[in-house]
Every structure is written in structure tokens, then in C-alpha cells.
Amino acid sequence: FTELDVGKIITMKPLIASAHGEGGQVGNVPYILYVDGSLRTVVDSFRFAEYGYYVDLSHGYEICEMPGLILKQPDGSCREVLGGNMPVKLNDDVIDTTPGIVIVDLPSLDGDAMRGDDMNGWVLATELTDQDQCQGIPTSGSAAPVFGRIPSSDDGDSLYLVHDPFLVIMDNTLSSPIGDGGGALVKSTGGTMTCSNAPRTFVNIEHCQLS
């Protein structure tokens, strides 16, 4: 979870259909978590850190703030989930039964192909090697979850990252234009993106720069 999830709604269901306790309260069994209706992760258990607050499966919880994982209660207060933020974990059963799920194979986090960002996430700094997987990523109008799979660790478990298709707005003003006019993005996307250059007019003629 990142700051981009603040304001979204978490819902959950038990991995085993009859595993919840009385009144729909969550117990110490695995649960599938959804964010705004889209699969996010599987957790071994889910509880609030503060005594007296219980998770109820009958309704969703708005994410109040990050870092950590702090959710809004029915009384309007915000309480932290025990253990705070959690990694994205999936298993074959969840993958096989989630309609439309897309799994993309990513390079190791140890190399230069993946770099951390300031949103508690990772950015792919190179192209995907499997173009079929790349073409399978929905660009808009789809709620299908997209996950990146990192090569298995020493214990045999794969690490997953959830794809968040948010826009990164680049600074392209008169005083701070994009150095290459967006040429690198045009090349890396095979022409899908276009240059960020603006036509020369009386407004910008005194600030024009060659790219």
C-alpha cells in the first residue's frame, strides 16, 4: 500500500469460505484483500492493533493515511492495522480464480532494471522482455488487476508488485523545458507517445530551445 491508496476502500473475504467468526468478525485465518474491488494481496491474518476494535467483513474500510495501514472505523476514528503495511502476496489458487488477472514477469530488484521511487514503490527502468505480456496490460477502462512477479527468492517464494497506472506529470515549462522534448519516451514506447514540443509562437519565441 502507498499514499496513492489513501481514500480507497479495503474489503476482504476469507480464503476459506466458512473461516470467519461470529458476526462476520475476522479471525486468525488467511484473507484476500481487495482495494476498490480489485485484488490486492493475501494475508495470514488481519486485526487492528488497538484492543477493542474488530474487523467486520460486512463492510469496507476507508484508508485514512499511509505509511502504515490506518483505516476508518464506523465511529469515524482511524485505527492502525496490526503489523502496519504489508507486502503483496498471492498464491496459485487466488491467481487461477481471479477473472482477468494479468501477471507480468519482472527483473530482479537487485539490478539496475528496477529502481525505487519516492512513493514506497518500484519503477521499471527498461522495457519488458516479453512483448506479449506487455500487450496484455490494460491501458484504460479495465478493473482487471495487474501484478509484476519478481524472480523467486532463496526460500522459493515469488515477490509480487501491484501495477498502479498513475500518471507522472513531467515539468515542461518555459523556464524548465524537457531536455530532449520527450524524444526518449517516443523511442522507448515505439512511437505510442508523442513529443512534448510546442509550436513556436510569439508567446514562447524568446524561450525556444533546440532538443
Side-chain angles (χ1 to χ4, degrees), residues 3-211:
E3 287 83 357
L4 296 172
D5 292 314
V6 173
K8 296 181 180 180
I9 304 298
I10 286 183
T11 54
M12 65 198 75
K13 71 176 183 180
L15 198 56
I16 304 172
S18 60
H20 59 78
E22 295 183 4
Q25 292 181 355
V26 171
N28 287 320
V29 295
Y31 283 82
I32 308 172
L33 267 60
Y34 300 86
V35 176
D36 281 355
S38 183
L39 172 66
R40 175 60 59 90
T41 187
V42 176
V43 295
D44 294 329
S45 63
F46 197 89
R47 292 179 178 275
F48 287 108
E50 188 172 343
Y51 180 78
Y53 288 89
Y54 302 95
V55 179
D56 191 337
L57 296 178
S58 64
H59 61 80
Y61 291 85
E62 179 182 343
I63 300 175
C64 293
E65 59 181 280
M66 297 289 300
L69 186 54
I70 302 175
L71 307 182
K72 182 173 290 186
Q73 304 297 311
D75 62 8
S77 64
C78 291
R79 306 293 171 178
E80 186 172 4
V81 173
L82 184 64
N85 206 350
M86 55 196 67
V88 177
K89 295 175 62 177
L90 301 175
N91 59 42
D92 291 340
D93 290 339
V94 173
I95 292 174
D96 292 342
T97 57
T98 301
I101 189 173
V102 177
I103 304 293
V104 176
D105 291 312
L106 297 176
S108 170
L109 299 180
D110 297 330
D112 296 330
M114 299 290 291
R115 57 181 175 84
D117 63 12
D118 57 3
M119 298 294 290
N120 194 32
W122 293 86
V123 174
L124 178 65
T126 62
E127 296 181 0
L128 288 173
T129 56
D130 189 327
Q131 291 303 307
D132 289 337
Q133 288 187 346
C134 183
Q135 295 298 322
I137 299 176
T139 55
S140 63
S142 174
V146 179
F147 296 93
R149 180 169 49 204
I150 305 298
S152 299
S153 59
D154 293 338
D155 59 8
D157 292 331
S158 293
L159 172 66
Y160 289 89
L161 302 177
V162 61
H163 173 57
D164 202 331
F166 64 91
L167 294 177
V168 176
I169 306 300
M170 303 184 72
D171 189 15
N172 190 28
T173 63
L174 290 175
S175 59
S176 181
I178 298 176
D180 67 347
L185 290 174
V186 174
K187 291 180 180 179
S188 65
T189 60
T192 300
M193 295 186 66
T194 57
C195 285
S196 302
N197 294 333
R200 184 172 60 181
T201 68
F202 71 93
V203 176
N204 61 21
I205 190 171
E206 295 183 358
H207 301 276
C208 282
Q209 297 185 29
L210 292 176
S211 64

